[in-house]
Amino acid sequence: MRIVHTLPELAEALQPYRHPAVVPTMGNLHEGHLDLVRIAKPLGDVQVATIFVNRLQFGPSEDFDTYPRTFAADCAQLEAAGCDLLFAPTEATLYPQPQGFKVVPPPELADVLEGQFRPGFFSGVCTVVLKLLACTQARTAVFGKKDYQQLMVIRHMVAQFNLPVRIVGADTRRAADGLAMSSRNGYLSAAERAQAPQLHAALQTLAQAVRAGDSDFEALQEQAMAQLRAQGWQPDYVALRRQADLGPAQPGQSLLALAAARLGSTRLIDNLEI
Ligand code: PAF
């Protein structure tokens, strides 16, 4: 695996290829990220990963400074997963001047759910993803479904800007007890880690009720929030939405159950397709 840090090096490394298949990440990689690399590998003629902790998508009280940076371990894992080229720019490379042009995604997609609790998050994500897709000349890019709303917002951005990139969504990788893999799981204490699968369990209970024909979605969402609160979580939301665009859910549609909740000082998100 070749590792490059600058734009001229990246352009030179990409020169022989016509179809980069790209996996953008913020590093601190786990098996979920490596799945994305393995999925991307046969979808292009070169598999490119990026590692960049993007300041623009962190709120002022969020964990930009403490976000785990584990570059050496990440490189070893990427290499083992078959990655061909890693682009790991510094902030000065990707944002040589303050980023004046920003992507502003539409509020109905980006100011709900995660966007309601993390103002500006999706603008920061879209802005860096647009830049990373451009720099890496991506023709395919793979994102995890664990960040389902992120995947959907990126799909809509790519479609509306007519970017020549195919976006592929990859299933969430879970620990044996159901906890969705996430870099932020590393913040959990041992006791919190033991409790963390409750988030997935709450979504499963909700999904089972919907599959069994319960259509009182408001009540189901409230019950799931109450269940989490009783277990010591502080939920931001538990929501049933239409899978296609995260619009209001109607019985009989393909639905998505999404949740975000804080356990101690760690905020986790998860979702289930129904
Ligand atoms: O999902 C992530 O790790 C980030 O939001 C992304 C897509 C790499 C943009 O910084």
Side-chain angles (χ1 to χ4, degrees):
M1 179 179 76
R2 180 156 174 207
I3 301 172
V4 298
H5 299 283
T6 68
L7 294 170
E9 282 176 300
L10 177 63
E12 186 264 315
L14 287 170
Q15 195 142 38
Y17 303 106
R18 296 183 56 236
H19 193 131
V22 178
V23 175
T25 82
M26 298 205 301
N28 193 232
L29 304 181
H30 49 68
E31 272 302 318
H33 293 110
L34 303 178
D35 280 348
L36 307 185
V37 169
R38 290 186 280 256
I39 289 169
K41 180 88 177 167
L43 300 181
D45 57 2
V46 60
Q47 199 288 304
V48 183
T50 70
I51 295 182
F52 181 69
V53 185
N54 173 39
R55 189 186 290 275
L56 282 191
Q57 70 190 71
F58 287 80
S61 60
E62 292 186 351
D63 53 347
F64 175 77
D65 290 325
T66 52
Y67 197 84
R69 285 147 172 100
T70 51
F71 190 69
D74 293 345
C75 289
Q77 292 190 83
L78 285 172
E79 174 118 53
C83 177
D84 300 307
L85 175 62
L86 169 61
F87 177 49
T90 61
E91 277 200 290
T93 290
L94 214 57
Y95 297 127
Q97 302 103 25
Q99 184 69 24
F101 290 90
K102 291 190 180 136
V103 179
V104 182
E108 67 276 15
L109 297 182
D111 292 356
V112 298
L113 302 165
E114 280 303 280
Q116 185 187 337
F117 292 92
R118 304 183 70 188
F121 171 69
F122 288 113
S123 175
V125 167
C126 286
T127 302
V128 81
V129 168
L130 183 62
K131 289 179 74 120
L132 290 169
L133 295 179
C135 299
T136 58
Q137 302 164 31
R139 288 295 167 267
T140 296
V142 185
F143 296 87
K145 288 189 188 173
K146 205 210 101 210
D147 297 292
Y148 205 98
Q149 189 178 7
Q150 168 175 282
L151 170 63
M152 193 209 60
V153 169
I154 291 169
R155 275 193 200 287
H156 283 253
M157 173 180 77
V158 163
Q160 209 167 75
F161 282 127
N162 306 102
L163 303 180
V165 186
R166 171 180 166 217
I167 301 296
V168 175
D171 287 338
T172 301
R173 177 68 92 102
R174 296 183 182 279
D177 60 9
L179 176 66
M181 290 203 179
S182 162
S183 299
R184 290 190 169 99
N185 292 348
Y187 296 147
L188 298 168
S189 69
E192 288 166 347
R193 172 63 191 82
Q195 218 190 316
Q198 290 167 346
L199 188 62
H200 177 236
L203 290 174
Q204 277 186 314
T205 306
L206 198 165
Q208 270 157 19
V210 173
R211 286 194 196 103
D214 193 334
S215 58
D216 190 347
F217 294 165
E218 284 293 324
L220 290 174
Q221 291 168 184
E222 271 313 311
Q223 280 161 24
M225 303 257 282
Q227 179 185 331
L228 286 168
R229 277 194 204 99
Q231 290 167 324
W233 295 70
Q234 295 161 271
D236 281 345
Y237 60 83
V238 176
L240 274 164
R241 295 297 175 100
R242 199 158 59 207
Q243 243 178 62
D245 57 3
L246 302 186
Q250 306 289 340
Q253 293 172 328
S254 293
L255 299 181
L256 189 74
L258 309 94
R262 215 170 281 278
L263 187 57
S265 56
T266 306
R267 185 175 183 278
L268 299 179
I269 64 172
D270 201 352
N271 65 76
L272 272 187
E273 289 169 319
I274 306 177

